[in-house]
Amino acid sequence: MCGIVGATGVNQVLPSLLKGLEKLEYRGYDSAGVYVNGGKDGDFLVREKGRVSRLKAATENKHITGTAGIAHTRWATHGGVSVENAHPHMSEDGRFYLVHNGVIENFDELRDNYLQGVKLQSETDTEIAVQLIDKFSKEDNLSTFDALRKMISLLDDNSAYGFLLMDNETPDLMYAAKKKSPLLIGVSDQANVVTSDAAAMLDITQDFIELMDGEVAIIDKEKVTLFDVQGKQIERESFHLDIDASETDKGVYPYYMLKEIDEQVIVAHTLSQHYFDDDANVQNIDDEIIDAIKASDRLYIVAAGTSYHAGLVGKRYFEKWTGIPTEVHISSEFAYDQPLLSQRPFFIFLSQSGETADSREVLDNVVKQGYPSLTIANVMNSTLTREATFALPLLAGPEIAVASTKAYTAQIIVEAILAHAVGNSEVDLKNELAKAAVEMQVIIDQKDKFKIIAEQALKNQSSAFYIGRGLDAAVAVEAALKLKEISYIQTEGFAAGELKHGTISLIEEGTPVLGLVTQSKTAGLVRGEIAQVSARGANTVIIASKSLAKANDAYVLPDVDELLMPLLTVIPAQLIAYYATLDRGLDVDRPRNLAKSVTVQ
Ligand code: AGP
């Protein structure tokens, strides 16, 4: 997704903007640009295709001065990857500069109706917006604020935007507006900033004000003025983010993904401390949440990608420990193909970012229908946490790598604790989770084994399978996503019993099939299915729990409660994906075509 940063009141603002863009790189992009108002030195607009490092190099010999500016990383939607399509976009007369995250659905209609005769420089919807502001400012003699609001009033309801605008006639001011695409305003004594993601500007401030849908803000170096949809001035307190800027750095790690795989153990301990008291009673989950779930007759877990996979695991906990039937749905499907709901549904949204557009679409519908909902997310103060009835934190710390790892295991842990709290299960969950955390560390400390497995099983391979049954099938789809999304090896996660109903035809000499065997009820069956593919030439790799292990298994996992085995089984899959990707010389943290937070549908 596109990334936005802006700042005013910072001496030599350019380095802060470029550093902010570097912090946003994990979101995925294909071009970048910056505008700095240089006062008497004039306006500086620099844009480049590719990485922020190219943009940085392009600014080096331009002696860019200035204390206010805006910058952007673009993930192409309307218009190809080119310098002309990169943001900031400039109005025809060079007065206005605009960056945008989102999509203006009716931009071509606006172009045809209002911008006849304007020489457009790009194929983008964003340029239409900045040219409209220019037009309304001149022809209707409107202030920049009113010209911006008039442009916004013309956008159709399905449009999404995070706008950050500068006008070189008011050089210290920034104008921000937002609908669906998140924007935060950072406030400090020295300077004020605007950003798509707080992590980008933590070097300047840890205090932020949330901009809500339909609102507009005018920001200068001393103050922030908020206006509601009707243009009425409103007040809003800032919130303090307890994230130290260093937490968003890689430190000694070569990649964020490896750091975040390692951090899973700390996260498990953090969650245990947060959600259990010294007597192993659950705490920090409001009784209202427990009661609302108890009052329901069916749970609907809704999520995307890895979070959806965490829901497949959590379903088992809710059904086993609460006795409430539980469905798990992919957000983008549920949003437009809602199944017949029970009489008293309760919705659980799982999300690392809290901003996934597909999940937000479902939450909008759920709220409109008046149903109760809970968001379990890593980024609190995000749209999904704010708009659901209830919210619970994952406390995993910033997850920067596109491939989600610690958020997945954190989601599984919080689902287990919640189900345990609702169902008063007999399991000594605090102790079982503590054991799982210890064993997670044991596995993480054996990275060399997974480096070897990745080399032996996946080198020069273009396809692979992860198979299992029950909870192992749930982990298999997550294992497959990890491998395919960063190594680009076409990988399927498959219910082992289903292979013989068609897909086994894909098995040929050397096809890597990684079998997961941690569930005693089906271990024999899965080993039979592994034997079937092996008989057809597959190169099989078995990852089994100790109590179910056999000689020649590639890796033996320590034993914990079978229901919690996904916390262990996923770690080899994360590390195998990591090493397979390194073997291919690919960027582990920033795979092609992908964004960390998919904030458009
Ligand atoms: C997981 O590795 C991917 N990055 C992706 O599937 C991600 O889990 C999905 O986009 C959902 O994001 P969310 O958890 O922030 O809602």
Side-chain angles (χ1 to χ4, degrees), residues 2-6 24 71-72 99-101 162-164 183 194-197:
C2 302
I4 291 174
V5 290
L24 293 178
H72 184 269
V99 295
H100 169 220
N101 180 15
F163 288 127
L164 189 55
L183 270 186
V194 177
T195 179
S196 313
D197 180 333

Side-chain angles (χ1 to χ4, degrees), residues 236-363:
R236 183 168 298 130
E237 286 301 306
S238 65
F239 61 87
H240 182 76
L241 261 190
D242 239 349
I243 303 175
D244 185 71
S246 64
E247 279 188 67
T248 62
D249 288 330
K250 272 189 298 201
V252 296
Y253 286 89
Y255 289 101
Y256 282 106
M257 184 181 179
L258 194 60
K259 173 172 177 270
E260 290 154 10
I261 289 170
D262 279 0
E263 287 175 339
Q264 292 178 111
V265 179
I266 304 163
V267 171
H269 290 307
T270 304
L271 288 170
S272 195
Q273 281 156 13
H274 179 79
Y275 285 111
F276 288 110
D277 65 17
D278 295 343
D279 306 322
N281 300 311
V282 173
Q283 63 180 9
N284 292 324
I285 298 182
D286 288 350
D287 289 342
E288 284 176 271
I289 298 176
I290 308 280
D291 295 344
I293 294 175
K294 283 182 176 172
S296 72
D297 61 356
R298 185 171 284 265
L299 302 180
Y300 295 83
I301 299 175
V302 180
T306 284
S307 295
Y308 164 73
H309 298 154
L312 295 174
V313 175
K315 164 189 164 72
R316 269 79 174 187
Y317 303 153
F318 288 110
E319 293 199 333
K320 186 166 177 71
W321 291 337
T322 71
I324 304 172
T326 303
E327 298 181 15
V328 192
H329 291 273
I330 290 172
S331 311
S332 55
E333 282 300 298
F334 194 97
Y336 299 96
D337 186 14
Q338 180 174 300
L340 188 60
L341 299 179
S342 65
Q343 291 302 307
R344 301 187 311 283
F346 184 89
F347 289 83
I348 297 174
F349 292 86
L350 300 176
S351 180
Q352 190 287 129
S353 64
E355 296 298 348
T356 296
D358 293 330
S359 302
R360 288 186 356 229
E361 183 67 25
V362 177
L363 180 55

